[in-house]
């Protein structure tokens, strides 16, 4: 098997995650889909790392994880406070950005 | 260790088998994450996908990342998700009905176009030659990563540290609520309780013991549900399940069966008529 | 000595400033102050003249550089003066006649409350006119040019409580503005062509420029001259300008300001010499105006308007002569000076008559005044003889020379111009005799004025008669002094140049012809107005007479062609503006508004919609990247 298949898998997962972001209304699920996209990227980085024969790709993937952790903390806090304010976790309910 | 290192440079049949099997599961997991109606199911599916990804990391020679993926990502972050899901309401199932006109078609079209383009791009690129990580991992994967992190990427590393701290503080700021009135003391609470009409403990939910879930209101003797039996938080959110009609239907079915068994035929008892009139 | 030049302008300018800013406390001495300062200007001019006479012909150009007005790289506008023979002639005429008319005005305006202001305006005019003639560059000349326009406006409208005077002032100002545009365009053309507008730089190098440019400059200068000198087609303001006080008519609208156009053309002679087409235009304008003014002068019953027509006609002679080129420049100026004397004298005489007749201007209500106003009659009569060209008087010398020069132009042109000039002389004789007969001869046709006062014709006070007498002397002798022995020719020739034309007829023949037409003109006038009594109410008259009474329909022409045409143009422009321009503007606004109204719906506030557009954009970018790589 050609290891490039990992990249196809990564792009497939990324696309599924992106479609999920667009389709789902529940903020938590949207957020999970974002995580899925990040993980797909990580898989690609790891595959690239293997392709080039050095560890820089893994380092980047590692940093992605750290940033994702920070993002999750803040994002979930936002969801919680949003839920407190609106009693709803739907992203469509927060549609005040229009005339 | 040597076997794993070898797996990084060559694509053995074992790895191919592993890829095709686990890859299929990962895609199914990802699709389920998107398509499950309940957030908690989505979270579980995602956790599964992540674990499979961890396996793939390991297969690709990224041993440290594979472990971190399992421990930190799947273990910690996904649990955080689950906590929030619980907080928001674990039973709340989303409707998958689309409310924005054309959104779903656009999303699918964009997703398909994007995926096709990505795959086409990867297919176009000449990525046939893989160097493998045998040499890079020679001194151990963790050691190699550590060397890079504390030399080449030390600034990025420090900055991500600052970012984590900031994120933690930010989360606290976001979820912190300033108390706008003095908290009632225990004495005041007990006095208020004494003055209220419910001096004894509130009734427990699930009088008929068919359901002891916290969100099911207990039934009064006449079969109507009492909201007092449910937690105040759930009451405010409106997340109370009403099982009174089910319970009455069950009760009726039970009586029907016992009367059938006793051979009373279709004689309607006065009580049943009373129920029907109600 | 040359430093005195600036004082020529400074003295009357000081008078103007003091009199106009001084307020009422100067009322009692204002007129004297103004007169003294005008006289001071004349004295300075005379001193400079004597000094100039003492020098050789080549050294007679005095210059004085006062200061740099706009000292910018490549645009040097200086305030500097140049006093040569041509300027000197004008300086003496302006300050001399100006001083006399100041003196005359002391008497004439005695009963006017605003006499101080009047003298302030007169001083302003003298200062501006002197600046015009002694400027050493076209830009400074333009300052003087506008200054006399302003003074003329103020003085025509001096009795602004009369609507007719206010309107006339406005009309004069507006018509003059057309000419001023010509001058300013000419100056701009000069600057683009020569890079300067100093006489000393432009005129010597004029022949270097292309003929087309010189023709353009010449035509623009001609337009300017037409405006200021009341030549066809910008002649319409002069008749109405007679609404101003009579001394103003005498000074500005007869003797000095209206001759500024002649000065401009003669001063720019080098340009016209190199642009024959422009020169031809000048002669045509002069010839047409000559007849136009003369015909109008025949029909008018208002004594001042008759004289105004005459002025127009006489300036037509000058312009005609100036258009003849070097043949005629000297005679144009000579006629200008003699005309300055006798026309000022005639106007002052007319003023004197009006003064005695309760400000009546209709000649049909005069008659037999020679016994009541002997001095006026004598001076007016001498002016009359001078203007019709009675042998020996000034008009004879100057006009005769112009007719000769017109014939000397040569060819068919020469015959036509000469014929026109001769015809003009005949008509001049006719209408001036008519004025003379209707005013001073025949029987009394006096009528009470609007307030019922009976006229008591009487001789005017000495302050008015003395200037008339002085001017009468000028009318009689100026021509002789200038003409005999070609003194004036020799005096001016170094500046303007002179060429003897190739006349198909001898000078004697021309003189004889002039005499014949003079006799014919006088004869006809006597036959019509001398032998028969003059009707007190104007007869209906022929079609030409009626047209001439309406100034040959000049105002109707202006109304139909310019006013109506302008209105139509404006209306169509407004229409275009409303439909086309506004349509484009409003259409653009409406389409932008409609488009944004539709685009606004894209902003529905749903984060997911925005996410779709981001995602689609990312897909497009990837597609573009792949496409570029593939190509």
């Amino acid at each position: 098997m050609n290891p490039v298949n990992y990249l196809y898998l990564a792009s497939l997962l990324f696309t599924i995650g992106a479609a999920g972001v667009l389709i789902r209304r529940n903020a938590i699920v949207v957020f999970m889909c974002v995580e899925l996209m990040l993980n797909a990227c990580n898989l690609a980085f790891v595959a690239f790392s293997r392709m080039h024969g050095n560890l820089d790709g893994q380092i980047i993937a590692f940093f992605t994880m750290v940033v994702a952790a920070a993002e999750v903390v803040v994002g979930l806090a936002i969801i919680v406070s949003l839920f407190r304010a609106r009693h709803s976790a739907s992203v469509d309910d927060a549609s005040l950005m229009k005339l | 260790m040597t076997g794993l290192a070898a797996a990084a440079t060559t694509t053995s049949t074992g790895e191919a088998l592993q890829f095709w099997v686990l890859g299929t599961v990962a895609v199914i997991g990802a699709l389920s994450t998107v398509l499950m109606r309940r957030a908690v199911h989505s979270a579980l599916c995602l956790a599964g996908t992540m674990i499979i990804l961890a396996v793939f990391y390991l297969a690709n020679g990224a041993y440290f990342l594979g472990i971190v993926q399992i421990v930190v990502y799947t273990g910690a972050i996904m649990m955080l998700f689950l906590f929030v899901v619980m907080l928001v309401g674990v039973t709340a199932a989303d409707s998958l009905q689309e409310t924005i006109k054309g959104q779903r078609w656009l999303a699918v079209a964009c997703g398909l176009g994007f995926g096709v383009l990505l795959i086409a791009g990867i297919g176009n690129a000449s990525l046939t030659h893989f160097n493998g990580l045998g040499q890079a991992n020679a001194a151990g994967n963790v050691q190699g990563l550590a060397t890079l992190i504390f030399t080449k990427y030390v600034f990025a590393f420090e900055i991500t540290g600052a970012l984590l701290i900031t994120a933690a503080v930010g989360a606290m700021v976001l979820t912190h609520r300033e108390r706008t009135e003095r908290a009632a003391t225990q004495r005041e609470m007990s006095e208020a309780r004494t003055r209220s009409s419910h001096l004894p403990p509130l009734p427990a939910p699930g009088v008929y013991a068919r359901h002891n879930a916290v969100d099911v209101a207990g039934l009064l003797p006449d079969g109507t549900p009492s909201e007092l039996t449910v937690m105040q938080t759930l009451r405010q959110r409106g997340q109370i399940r009403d099982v009174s009609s089910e319970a009455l239907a069950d009760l009726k079915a039970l009586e029907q069966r016992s009367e059938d068994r006793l051979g009373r035929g279709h004689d309607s008892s006065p009580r049943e008529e009373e129920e029907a009139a109600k | 000595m040359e430093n005195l030049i600036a004082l020529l302008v400074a003295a009357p300018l000081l008078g103007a400033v003091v009199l106009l800013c001084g307020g009422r406390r100067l009322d009692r001495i204002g007129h004297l102050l103004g007169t003294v300062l005008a006289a001071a200007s004349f004295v300075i001019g005379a001193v400079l003249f004597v000094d100039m006479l003492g020098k050789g012909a080549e050294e007679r150009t005095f210059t004085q550089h006062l200061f740099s007005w706009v000292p910018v790289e490549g645009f040097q506008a200086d305030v500097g003066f140049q006093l040569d023979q041509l300027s000197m002639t004008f300086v003496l005429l302006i300050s001399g006649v100006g001083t006399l008319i100041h003196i005359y005005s002391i008497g004439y305006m005695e009963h006017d409350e605003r006499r101080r202001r009047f003298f302030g305006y007169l001083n302003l005019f003298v200062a501006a006119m002197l600046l015009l003639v002694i400027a050493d560059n076209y830009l400074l000349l333009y300052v003087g040019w506008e200054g006399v326009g302003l003074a003329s406006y103020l003085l025509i409208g001096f009795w602004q409580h009369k609507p007719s005077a206010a309107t006339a002032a406005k009309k004069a100002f507006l018509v003059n503005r057309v000419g001023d545009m010509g001058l300013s365009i000419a100056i701009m053309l000069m600057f683009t062509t020569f890079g300067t507008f100093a006489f000393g730089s432009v005129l010597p190098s004029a022949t270097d420029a292309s003929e087309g440019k010189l023709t353009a400059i010449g035509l623009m200068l001609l337009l300017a001259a037409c405006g200021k000198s009341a030549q066809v087609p910008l002649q319409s303001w002069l008749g109405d300008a007679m609404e101003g006080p009579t001394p103003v008519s005498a000074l500005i609208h007869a003797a000095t300001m209206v001759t500024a156009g002649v000065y401009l053309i003669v001063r720019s002679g080098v340009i016209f010499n190199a642009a024959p087409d422009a020169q031809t235009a000048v002669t045509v304008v002069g010839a047409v105006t000559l007849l136009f003014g003369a015909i109008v002068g025949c029909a008018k019953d208002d004594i001042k308007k008759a004289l105004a027509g005459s002025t127009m006609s006489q300036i037509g002679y000058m312009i005609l002569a100036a258009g003849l080129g070097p043949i005629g420049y000297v005679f144009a100026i000579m006629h200008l000076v003699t005309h300055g004397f006798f026309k000022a004298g005639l106007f002052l005489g007319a003023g004197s008559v009006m003064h005695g007749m309760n400000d009546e201007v209709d000649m049909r209500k005069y008659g037999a005044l020679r016994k009541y106003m002997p001095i006026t009659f004598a001076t007016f009569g001498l002016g009359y003889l001078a203007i019709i060209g009675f042998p020996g008087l000034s008009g004879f010398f100057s006009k005769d020379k112009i007719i000769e020069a017109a014939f000397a132009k040569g060819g068919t042109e020469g015959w036509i111009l000469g014929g026109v000039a001769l015809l003009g002389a005949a008509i001049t004789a006719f209408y001036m005799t008519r004025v003379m007969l209707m005013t001073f001869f025949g029987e009394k046709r006096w009528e009470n004025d609007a307030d019922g006062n009976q006229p008591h014709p009487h001789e005017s006070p000495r302050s008015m008669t003395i200037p008339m007498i002085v001017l009468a002397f000028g009318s009689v002798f100026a021509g002789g002094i200038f003409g005999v022995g070609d003194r004036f020719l020799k005096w001016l020739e170094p500046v303007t140049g002179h060429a003897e034309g190739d006349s198909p007829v001898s000078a004697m023949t021309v003189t004889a012809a002039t005499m014949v037409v003079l006799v014919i003109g006088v004869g006809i006038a006597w036959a019509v107005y001398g032998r028969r009594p003059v009707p007190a109410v104007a007869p209906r008259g022929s079609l030409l007479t009626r047209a001439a009474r309406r100034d040959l329909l000049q105002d109707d022409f202006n109304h139909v062609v310019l006013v109506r045409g302008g209105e139509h143009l404006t209306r169509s422009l407004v229409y275009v503006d409303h439909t086309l321009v506004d349509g484009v503007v409003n259409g653009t606004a409406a389409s932008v508004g409609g488009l944004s109204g539709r685009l606004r719906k894209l902003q529905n506030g749903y984060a997911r919609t925005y996410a779709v557009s981001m995602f689609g954009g990312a897909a497009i970018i990837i597609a573009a990247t792949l496409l570029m790589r593939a190509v």
Side-chain angles (χ1 to χ4, degrees):
Chain A
M1 184 202 76
N2 193 335
V4 82
N5 283 337
Y6 285 113
L7 295 180
Y8 289 122
L9 177 65
S11 54
L12 197 58
L13 293 181
F14 185 91
T15 309
I16 292 172
V21 169
L22 301 182
I23 291 172
R24 295 303 297 259
R25 276 195 300 278
N26 188 330
I28 301 170
V29 179
V30 168
F31 215 52
M32 287 182 208
C33 291
V34 171
E35 291 300 314
L36 184 60
M37 290 160 77
L38 286 169
N39 270 294
C41 293
N42 278 352
L43 180 60
F45 278 127
V46 169
F48 285 136
S49 174
R50 182 182 183 186
M51 192 170 95
H52 293 297
N54 59 34
L55 295 175
D56 291 45
Q58 296 186 14
I59 298 286
I60 302 296
F62 174 69
F63 282 135
T64 310
M65 284 185 189
V66 178
V67 173
E71 178 222 352
V72 164
V73 169
V74 176
L76 288 178
I78 290 174
I79 289 174
V80 166
S81 57
L82 197 71
F83 185 80
R84 269 196 208 142
R86 297 184 173 274
H87 298 294
S88 152
S90 168
V91 289
D92 283 0
D93 287 352
S95 62
L96 299 173
M97 280 203 308
K98 64 177 174 185
L99 286 173
Chain B
M1 198 69 190
T2 48
L4 284 172
T9 52
T10 60
T11 47
S12 64
T13 321
E15 192 189 342
L17 185 69
Q18 182 200 38
F19 175 81
W20 290 117
V21 173
L22 292 186
T24 315
V25 177
V27 170
I28 292 170
L31 283 174
S32 314
T33 308
V34 174
L35 297 176
M36 284 291 177
R37 293 182 65 204
R38 289 174 189 252
V40 66
H41 293 164
S42 289
L44 290 175
C45 290
L46 182 62
T49 306
M50 281 177 173
I51 289 171
I52 292 169
L53 286 183
V55 174
F56 284 157
Y57 292 172
L58 291 173
N60 275 310
Y63 313 119
F64 178 69
L65 279 186
I67 304 303
V68 167
Q69 170 86 358
I70 292 172
V71 174
V72 176
Y73 230 122
T74 321
I77 295 180
M78 284 320 295
M79 291 315 112
L80 198 58
F81 266 101
L82 283 177
F83 271 120
V84 174
V85 170
M86 296 300 172
L87 203 63
V88 170
V90 69
T91 58
D94 292 344
S95 157
L96 284 180
Q97 195 73 36
E98 186 53 61
T99 48
I100 304 175
K101 193 178 160 195
Q103 170 80 9
R104 180 160 293 171
W105 296 115
L106 272 175
V108 169
C110 283
L112 277 180
F114 192 83
V116 166
L117 283 170
L118 266 187
I119 287 165
I122 294 168
N124 266 338
S126 53
L127 301 172
T128 47
H129 184 67
F130 273 66
N131 291 328
L133 284 168
Q135 206 170 358
N137 277 347
N141 178 250
V142 180
Q143 284 82 350
L145 283 180
T147 312
L148 274 178
I149 284 178
F150 292 110
T151 55
K152 194 175 173 186
Y153 295 100
V154 67
F155 279 111
F157 184 68
E158 295 292 339
I159 290 168
T160 41
L163 181 70
L164 272 178
I165 301 250
T166 317
V169 172
M172 286 203 299
V173 168
L174 278 171
T175 49
H176 178 73
R177 255 196 304 195
E178 199 70 38
R179 187 176 282 281
T180 51
E181 56 194 10
R182 189 175 60 82
T185 61
Q186 203 169 8
R187 182 186 178 82
E188 285 166 346
M189 280 160 73
S190 69
E191 280 173 358
R193 180 66 179 273
T194 314
R195 289 200 188 92
S196 73
S197 50
H198 283 282
L199 190 56
L202 289 174
V207 171
Y208 279 93
R210 299 292 296 262
H211 292 269
N212 58 358
V214 285
D215 60 341
V216 177
L219 299 184
L220 297 178
D222 61 349
T224 55
S226 164
E227 291 205 342
L228 271 181
T229 57
V230 186
M231 249 176 87
Q232 201 177 4
T233 315
L234 293 179
R235 244 188 285 154
Q236 277 177 356
R237 287 187 202 163
Q239 287 181 332
I240 303 173
R241 277 194 290 161
D242 183 7
V243 294
S244 56
S245 52
E246 290 174 47
L248 288 177
D250 286 353
L251 187 65
K252 198 172 170 185
L254 184 71
E255 284 176 353
Q256 184 74 43
R257 273 203 303 279
S258 59
E259 278 176 19
D260 284 350
R261 179 79 54 86
L262 295 174
R264 287 209 205 138
H266 290 283
D267 294 349
S268 52
S269 64
R271 190 178 160 199
E272 265 179 341
E273 277 177 7
E274 199 181 329
E275 280 291 321
K278 229 172 149 183
Chain C
M1 189 57 79
E2 298 190 351
N3 293 340
L4 286 175
I5 300 176
L7 286 180
L8 283 173
V9 179
L13 193 63
L14 175 75
V17 171
V18 167
L19 290 177
L20 293 177
C21 303
R24 290 180 189 283
R25 69 199 90 124
L26 287 176
D27 272 356
R28 278 194 302 164
I29 58 154
H31 50 283
L32 296 176
L33 182 67
T35 311
V36 166
L37 285 170
S41 196
F42 178 68
V43 170
I44 296 165
V47 169
L48 285 166
F49 178 60
V50 172
D51 187 47
M52 191 180 276
L53 280 182
K55 302 199 173 186
E58 298 306 314
E59 299 165 351
R60 281 178 172 174
T61 301
F62 298 168
T63 56
Q64 182 184 8
H65 182 264
L66 217 53
F67 57 89
S68 266
W69 180 14
V70 186
V72 175
E73 184 70 31
F75 184 88
Q76 293 296 330
D78 295 341
V79 175
F81 303 124
Q82 171 186 335
L83 191 66
D84 54 11
Q85 291 94 321
L86 179 60
S87 302
M88 181 49 87
T89 311
F90 271 89
V91 166
L92 290 178
L93 176 72
I94 295 159
S95 58
V97 176
T99 307
L100 289 176
I101 286 170
H102 273 78
I103 296 169
Y104 177 89
S105 303
I106 296 176
Y108 189 86
M109 302 294 285
E110 195 171 3
H111 305 297
D112 198 297
E113 287 175 2
R114 295 157 73 226
R115 184 164 66 164
R116 172 182 56 80
R117 184 179 290 268
F118 181 78
F119 275 83
Y121 291 159
L122 278 187
N123 273 359
L124 176 65
F125 168 76
V126 172
M129 189 71 198
L130 287 171
L131 181 65
L132 194 163
V133 296
I134 65 173
D136 77 341
N137 62 66
Y138 279 98
L139 202 63
L140 196 60
L141 179 147
Y142 189 66
V143 175
W145 188 272
E146 291 293 338
V148 295
L150 170 67
S152 162
Y153 168 77
L154 292 170
L155 286 167
I156 294 172
F158 186 72
W159 287 321
Q160 56 200 224
H161 52 86
K162 286 199 294 185
S164 58
T167 314
K170 224 183 296 176
K171 183 176 181 183
F173 197 76
L174 287 176
V175 177
N176 265 300
R177 198 115 293 275
V178 178
D180 296 347
M181 281 316 292
L183 184 53
S184 62
I185 292 171
I187 293 174
M188 292 178 211
L189 282 175
M190 276 176 205
F191 188 75
T192 56
T193 312
F194 305 109
T196 175
F197 21 66
F199 294 153
S201 316
V202 171
L203 299 178
S205 59
T207 42
D208 300 344
S210 69
E211 194 183 322
K213 273 193 172 169
L214 289 176
T215 306
I217 295 175
L219 288 177
M220 284 298 119
L221 288 174
L222 173 63
L223 182 64
C226 285
K228 202 55 96 189
S229 295
Q231 300 295 293
V232 175
L234 299 177
Q235 81 291 0
S236 64
W237 63 275
L238 186 64
D240 293 340
M242 296 303 133
E243 288 293 339
T246 306
V248 172
S249 308
L251 175 60
I252 300 182
H253 306 118
T256 56
M257 186 189 84
V258 285
T259 60
V262 183
Y263 171 78
L264 186 67
I265 291 176
V266 173
R267 176 57 85 192
S268 317
V270 186
I271 295 174
F272 283 97
N273 292 345
D277 292 341
Q279 218 164 23
T280 310
V282 174
T283 51
V284 169
V285 165
V288 169
T289 313
L290 189 167
L291 290 180
F292 186 100
I295 293 169
V296 170
C298 294
K300 291 288 184 183
D301 289 333
D302 180 326
I303 184 168
K304 284 179 71 179
K305 291 199 172 168
L307 289 177
S310 157
T311 303
M312 213 187 282
S313 167
Q314 298 301 316
I315 296 171
Y317 270 109
M318 299 171 207
I319 297 276
L320 172 62
L324 294 173
I327 314 172
Y329 289 140
V330 173
F331 304 124
I333 301 299
M334 184 163 141
H335 191 57
L336 191 155
V337 175
T338 55
H339 173 258
F341 283 118
F342 57 68
K343 186 52 64 69
L346 287 170
F347 262 108
L348 294 191
S352 177
V353 169
M354 287 158 58
H355 195 71
M357 295 293 288
N358 292 345
D359 287 332
E360 180 59 64
V361 292
D362 190 350
M363 290 190 289
R364 292 188 188 275
K365 295 173 184 170
Y366 291 165
L369 288 174
R370 64 181 185 279
K371 290 173 215 146
Y372 300 92
M373 302 178 162
I375 299 175
T376 307
F377 169 62
T379 55
F380 197 94
L382 289 173
Y384 155 72
L385 290 177
I387 194 174
I388 63 171
F390 194 78
L393 274 65
S394 7
F396 169 75
F397 290 98
S398 51
K399 196 189 290 179
D400 202 43
K401 285 287 185 190
I402 291 179
I403 299 172
E404 271 178 42
F407 278 113
K409 176 80 174 168
T412 326
E413 240 179 294
W415 281 105
I416 295 172
L417 294 175
V420 168
L422 264 184
L423 181 60
I427 306 176
T428 306
F430 170 79
Y431 68 71
M432 283 314 297
T433 311
R434 173 175 174 269
V435 170
M436 197 67 194
L437 291 173
M438 285 174 86
T439 307
F440 293 103
F441 294 90
E443 71 273 29
K444 300 175 191 172
R445 298 180 300 274
W446 309 345
E447 281 180 14
N448 297 349
D449 67 5
D451 299 333
N453 300 323
Q454 207 168 2
H456 294 288
H458 55 85
E459 193 48 84
S460 299
R462 199 160 304 154
S463 68
M464 289 168 71
T465 51
I466 287 173
M468 286 154 63
I469 294 167
V470 173
L471 287 171
F473 271 100
S475 314
V476 175
F477 299 113
I481 294 170
F482 294 161
V484 175
D486 288 340
R487 282 201 200 94
F488 198 74
L489 179 62
K490 286 171 189 158
W491 161 254
L492 263 190
E493 198 184 348
V495 181
T496 60
H498 184 67
E500 286 297 338
D502 179 22
S503 182
V505 285
S506 70
M508 283 307 293
T509 321
V510 173
T511 311
T514 315
M515 286 305 110
V516 170
V517 298
L518 167 65
V519 170
I520 293 173
V522 173
I524 295 173
W526 186 73
V528 179
Y529 298 100
R531 280 200 321 186
R532 283 179 265 163
V534 178
V537 176
R540 195 173 135 78
S542 67
L543 202 63
L544 180 65
T545 314
R546 271 179 283 150
R549 279 188 193 137
R550 297 185 59 126
D551 298 306
L552 288 178
L553 306 175
Q554 60 183 17
D555 290 335
D556 305 79
F557 175 82
N558 286 349
H559 187 75
V560 170
V561 175
L562 300 178
V563 177
R564 291 269 178 76
E567 279 172 356
H568 279 295
L569 183 66
T570 323
R571 226 171 285 149
S572 48
L573 283 180
V574 166
Y575 178 75
V576 168
D577 183 49
H578 276 180
T579 53
L580 206 68
V581 179
D582 284 8
V584 169
V585 171
N586 292 342
T588 311
S591 53
V592 168
L595 192 64
S596 36
R598 246 153 252 163
L599 281 178
R600 199 182 62 146
K601 288 180 183 154
L602 289 179
Q603 297 288 328
N604 57 5
Y606 292 115
R608 291 194 295 143
T609 309
Y610 304 151
V612 164
S613 45
M614 278 172 66
F615 194 46
I620 288 168
I621 287 171
I622 290 180
T625 314
L626 288 179
L627 211 64
M628 293 309 291
R629 287 176 64 91
V631 175

